Amino acid sequence: MNVQSTIEAESSRQSLQQDSQQVEHFDVLIVGAGISGIGAAYHLIHQCPGTSFAVLEAQDSFGGTWWTHRYPGIRSDSDLYTFGYRFKPWTGPPIATAAEILKYMREVITENDLDRYIRYHHRILGANWSDTDKLWTIVAERTDTGEHLRFTANFFWMCQGYYRHAEGYTPEWPEMSAFKGRIVHPQKWPEDLDYKDKRVIVIGSGATAATLVPNIADDCAHVTMLQRSPTYFRVGRNAIEIADELRRLQVDESWIHEIVRRKILYEQDAFTRKTFTDPEGAKKDLMAGVVAYLGPDFDIKTHFTPRYRPWQQRIAFIPDGDLFRSIKAGKASVVTDEIERFTETGLLLKSGKTLDADIIVTATGFNLSATGDIAFSIDGKPLDFADTVTYRGMMFTGVPNLVWIFGYFRASWTLRVDMVADFVCNLLKHMQTTGARKVTVALRSEDEDMPLLDWIDPENFNPGYMMRSAHLLPKRGDKPEWQHSQDYWAERDQFKAIDLTDAAFVYE
Ligand SMILES: Cc1cc2nc3c(=O)[nH]c(=O)nc-3n(C[C@H](O)[C@H](O)[C@H](O)COP(=O)(O)OP(=O)(O)OC[C@H]3O[C@@H](n4cnc5c(N)ncnc54)[C@H](O)[C@@H]3O)c2cc1C
C-alpha cells in the first residue's frame, strides 16, 4: 500500500466511524462507469427491474480505460464485435478508436436511460461490511468538492478494472533527472505535447507502444521503439469480410453481430488451443504476418522473435500492418537493448550504444490496483484480499455480498462482463426468492486439501503488471470453481451450469 492509499484508508476508516452524516441506501452499489460498470447497470435494469442502485465513478465521465487514455491513435486491439456487449450490435470496423468506443457506450447509456444512475466525481475510499446489519457502508469522496459521502448497500459490485487510473507504471532508471527533454507516460498524455519534427523514443513494445509509434511517426523527425525483448504481434485487415457481405445483403445488424461474434470466437478458440498444442506452429503463423510487411532481409530474429510461448502475454493486433509500414518507410525503427542510464540527451544502452531524443515516452505499463484502492473491512477488521480464495474470479471466501468483474486477457474483457452480470442477477433473484440477506462463498469439505496458488499461473499468462503484484491478489485453487482460468470457451459452459444451491454458497 503506498502513502496515498494509506492516508485514504485512514480517512475512510475515520469517516466510517462518524455516523452523523446522512446516509443514502441502495440495493446494489456499482463501482466504476467503465465498460464493466455500464454493462452491470444495463443488466440490472433488464434482468432485475425494481432494484435500486447507483454507479459511483471517480472520474468526470464514463468510459474508464477509454476515457483515461488520450495518447495519439488510442484504439482497441480486440474486435468490437466481442469487445462490444452481446446486447448492442457493433456496426463499424472491428478495431475501434477510444472515441468510437465512447460513442458506443454513450448510446448504451442514452438508450437505456442509465444517466440517472451514474454519479461522477465519486471516488470510493472505504467499504465496511456489518454482519449485524447485513450491509456494506461505503465512504466516497467527491473529487470536485472534497466532501465525504456515506452510502449503504446490500450488495457491492466492483467494476473497478485492474489498474490505477491516476498514474501509469514507470520503472526507476538511473539518472532519469539528467535528461533535458520531456518524459511522458501514455496514461497521462499531456495535451500540450508538441512532437512535430521531434526525435521521440518510445520505451516498450506492448499494445500501447505499437499503437503510438505509427500514429506519431509521420509528424516526428523519427520515432525509435526501444524494447528489452520482442513481443508477438498479429497483423490483419481492419475489416471482417463476412460482416461486410451480410451488410450488403441487408441482414439485420443484430444477426450480423451474433454471427460475427460466433465466427471470431470460433477462430480465437482454435488459435488459442494451437498456442498450447503447437506453440511453434502458432509462433510461425504470427511471425509470417510480420515478415510479410518487413521482408526477409529485416532482422526479424533480433527484434520480432519473442522468447515466450504465444499468448503468455497479450498479443497486440496491428491493423493493416501500420507499425510495420512506419518501420519499412524509415519513419520509425526498433532497437532491442536495455537501458544502462538516462543522459542529458537521451539514453545510454547496455550495449554501449546511445539514443538521442527530445521526448521519451515510457510505454511501460500499469500499476495493478485490483480493488480500486478501496480500504475494505469486515465488521471493522481490515480485509486483505490476498488472504481470500476466489470463486471463479468473481467472489471471495469470507467476503459477503460482493462480486468483482475481472475480464479476459486472451479474449475480449466484455465477454465476461455479460457472463458475470447474468450470474449476479441470478444470485440476487435467488436471494430474493429464498429471503437470504447474506451470501458468502466458502471452501467445501471436498476442497479442504486443495492447494492454494497464486491468482494466475505464470506458465499460463505472465505480463509484468500481474507478476509485480501477484502477492496482492486473492488465491486460486486447482478446481474450475476456485479460479479464474482465463479460458472463455470453458467458462461459457461452466457459468451456465452454476448451481446456486451448491455448498460453496453459504446463505443467511
Ligand atoms: C490502452 C488499453 C487498451 C486496451 N484494449 C483492450 C482491448 O482491446 N480489448 C480488451 O479486452 N481489453 C483491453 N484493455 C483492457 C481494458 O482495461 C478492459 O478491457 C476494460 O476496458 C476494462 O473495463 P472496466 O470497466 O472493467 O475497467 P476500467 O476501464 O479500468 O474502468 C474502471 C472505472 O472504475 C473507476 N474506479 C476505479 N476505482 C474506483 C473507486 N475507488 N471509486 C470510484 N470509481 C473507481 C475508474 O475511474 C474507471 O472509470 C485495454 C486496456 C488499456 C489500458
Side-chain angles (χ1 to χ4, degrees), residues 200-203 213 222-226 331-335 355:
V200 179
I201 298 173
V202 177
I203 304 174
V213 169
H222 190 77
V223 187
T224 306
M225 183 171 90
L226 170 66
K331 293 297 297 175
S333 52
V334 54
V335 172
L355 290 177

Side-chain angles (χ1 to χ4, degrees), residues 194-198 214-223 331:
D194 178 12
Y195 49 85
K196 185 138 185 61
D197 299 327
K198 299 279 190 330
N215 276 286
I216 60 173
D218 284 345
D219 288 331
C220 296
H222 190 77
V223 187
K331 293 297 297 175

Side-chain angles (χ1 to χ4, degrees), residues 31-37 56-59 61 63-66 69 71 74-78 83 122-125 159-163 165 208 314 366 371-374 405 408 411-414:
V31 188
I35 198 97
S36 302
L56 302 190
E57 167 55 59
Q59 304 201 66
S61 191
T65 293
W66 309 103
H69 287 82
Y71 57 81
I74 163 82
R75 66 186 178 210
S76 68
D77 63 356
S78 299
F83 190 77
H122 282 62
R123 185 206 309 276
I124 299 179
L125 303 178
C159 297
Q160 77 297 336
Y162 62 96
Y163 64 89
H165 282 249
T208 300
R314 261 185 93 84
F366 312 110
T371 56
D373 290 336
I374 297 171
I405 295 187
Y408 293 113
S412 288
W413 183 275
T414 319

